[in-house]
Amino acid sequence: MPRLLALEWDAKEARVVIARTHGAAVAVEQALAIPLPQREAAAASDADVGPALAKALAEHGVSRTETLVAVGRSSIELKFLSTPPAPPEELPDLVRFQALRQFTSLGDDWPLDFVPLSPNADGGSNVLAAAIAPELVQQIRHTATAANLSLSRLVLRPFAAASLLKKETADDKCRMVVDLLRDDADLTVLIGEQVIFPRTVRLPATDEAEILARALVGEGRRTIIAAQNQLGGRRVEEVVIFGDGLHHSTVKQLLEKDLSLPVKLVDPFDYVEWAEGSRSRKPEFPGTFAPLLGMLLDEAAGGVQAIDFLHPRKKPAPPNQRRTLIAAGSVIAAVLLLGLVGVWWQLRSLDAQIRTLQVQRTAQEKLAKSGAKPRENVAKLDRFARADVTWLDELSLVSEKFPAPGAALVEDLTANYDPKGGGKLNVSGVADHDGRIREMEDKIRNKTHSISGNGAAFDPEAPGNLKVRFKETVTIAPQDEDTAGPAPSATKGKAPLKAAPKSTKASTPGGTK
């Protein structure tokens, strides 16, 4: 029985599964979560991963083994492409040609693989194409070599995890699969067993289940909406979470409540066996091993991975040259024997082929021009994904942190989003004294929200006992932005309280509470 090792790592740990295959079944010998060395104020560097893996594997008696590596969605470039009609053997070249025009940074030496989707309206093919920088491939090879491993596959992680559900996804339902890792989560929309929309999101740096669950609900809702736009209105019907009831019950309950969808917990180790005599136990977080077990099952079933950057789809190799030369000699001999009649017939056939190819070329040029619409749709989807501010949540936050009724009053509020992510809330109003303004700023400011104002101004004509006017700007960072902590206090260095100029503008009633 062949022995295989499946591997992936992030900044904090490496996950390893050692297994043997027999037929289409997988028998797990060991499943390990290996902590990686953490440098001061930084995660493990790439140079640290290989030696740490080598030491840990040697301690568990694992020597050089054929290795399958999973790489995350955030490490690659992925796009939907539409190609004109072409024979199947020409599709790899057509996909690369389209990708060179539409990908952001694709080079001629970048490994590119794809999975065919449904045919398009023009009779061509829709594909999901993925490319990876050659520098990253070389870096992964160096890590495997330093760990005394023999790299044989480099698989895209969401596709590997989806392979684990092939039996459940034979009903052609539209599902969202949630794979919770240490710092990230893969949110993948499937139709049947076909991956349609993979997305990786950053999770909050906390161990509190409630905070993680609410962050995941927001990201799940955005993924469902984006996939629905991509699928022409088709909705997600079910959510599948890789995990167990011990760690993921809060996430399951919150997703069921907020998304109004059935949610199912799936333990990845239910799809494999444990090798006879194995002393290894199921890891603490079994859900994080779903991509590794999916890769192993695909390898046992025939070694065909959906996306494999080491063995991408290519145009078939040309026929054997020796056979070509023999065939050419036979044709020449036949032409000589047939004489002028044969030559005339051949020229006539070539003329017909030229006319046919000219017609096909004209049709393909028209189809190529019609590809502008899919690119426009992809650009709209990208702009939608960047506008990631949930304004109701932001208004709720400001309302919760605002002073109590009677202590302050909002007269004007505007909201603007930044196309690059995040946005701003501009709030102006009156308060009973300038200490209220500093109190509000201290409550609202956090890692993702900064607030600044233009000071406080005394206005004797303001309504009631609210005589201090203020204007504040709340800046909301994009959700995937790496914030370094709370912004410095915006109240330092403020101008002293001064009388506001007289104004005939009537105050707008109503506050945030």
Side-chain angles (χ1 to χ4, degrees), residues 453-470:
N454 62 348
F458 181 77
D459 184 357
E461 296 183 2
N465 63 339
L466 308 179
K467 301 299 183 181
V468 178
R469 291 195 173 276
F470 65 88

Side-chain angles (χ1 to χ4, degrees), residues 369-445:
K369 292 180 181 179
S370 68
K373 184 62 176 176
R375 293 194 295 274
E376 181 183 347
N377 292 338
V378 170
K380 289 180 180 179
L381 184 60
D382 289 342
R383 289 196 296 272
F384 172 83
R386 288 197 296 268
D388 58 355
V389 177
T390 305
W391 292 112
L392 290 179
D393 292 346
E394 300 303 333
L395 291 175
S396 175
L397 171 66
V398 173
S399 179
E400 289 175 1
K401 306 302 183 182
F402 204 76
L409 179 72
V410 170
E411 294 182 326
D412 186 59
L413 185 146
T414 60
N416 298 285
Y417 80 92
D418 189 334
K420 297 181 180 179
K424 291 185 178 181
L425 281 173
N426 298 309
V427 184
S428 61
V430 291
D432 54 356
H433 57 81
D434 59 344
R436 297 289 186 191
I437 302 171
R438 290 191 293 273
E439 175 187 343
M440 175 180 64
E441 290 176 338
D442 292 340
K443 289 183 177 180
I444 291 177
R445 187 177 294 111

Side-chain angles (χ1 to χ4, degrees), residues 75-78 96 99 103 106 110-113 129-133 309:
S75 301
I76 60 97
E77 188 167 359
L78 184 144
R96 178 167 281 277
F103 276 46
L106 180 67
W110 282 46
L112 181 142
D113 202 3
I132 187 170
F309 294 112

Side-chain angles (χ1 to χ4, degrees), residues 213-234:
R214 292 202 173 276
L216 194 60
V217 166
E219 295 296 346
R221 186 179 291 112
R222 276 187 280 273
T223 301
I224 289 172
I225 294 173
Q228 185 175 342
N229 292 336
Q230 182 68 38
L231 297 174
R234 182 165 181 180

Side-chain angles (χ1 to χ4, degrees), residues 24 115 155 158-173 175 177 190-195 238 240 242 264 266 268 271 290-291 293-307 313:
V115 290
V155 180
F159 287 81
S163 295
L164 203 62
L165 298 175
K166 285 184 177 178
K167 292 182 180 178
E168 279 75 11
T169 55
D171 53 8
D172 202 38
K173 268 189 178 182
R175 294 177 170 86
V177 177
L190 315 176
I191 293 183
E193 62 182 54
Q194 179 68 65
V195 173
E238 185 182 65
V240 176
F242 286 123
K264 181 167 64 174
V266 172
Y271 295 87
L293 298 177
M295 285 193 299
L296 291 169
L297 286 172
D298 278 345
E299 200 68 12
V304 179
Q305 306 285 345
I307 295 287
R313 290 171 173 80

Side-chain angles (χ1 to χ4, degrees), residues 487-499:
S489 174
T491 61
K492 291 182 179 179
K494 281 192 174 181
L497 183 66
K498 59 182 178 179

Side-chain angles (χ1 to χ4, degrees), residues 34-46:
I34 302 172
L36 296 177
Q38 303 293 301
R39 298 187 177 186
E40 186 176 353
S45 70
D46 296 321

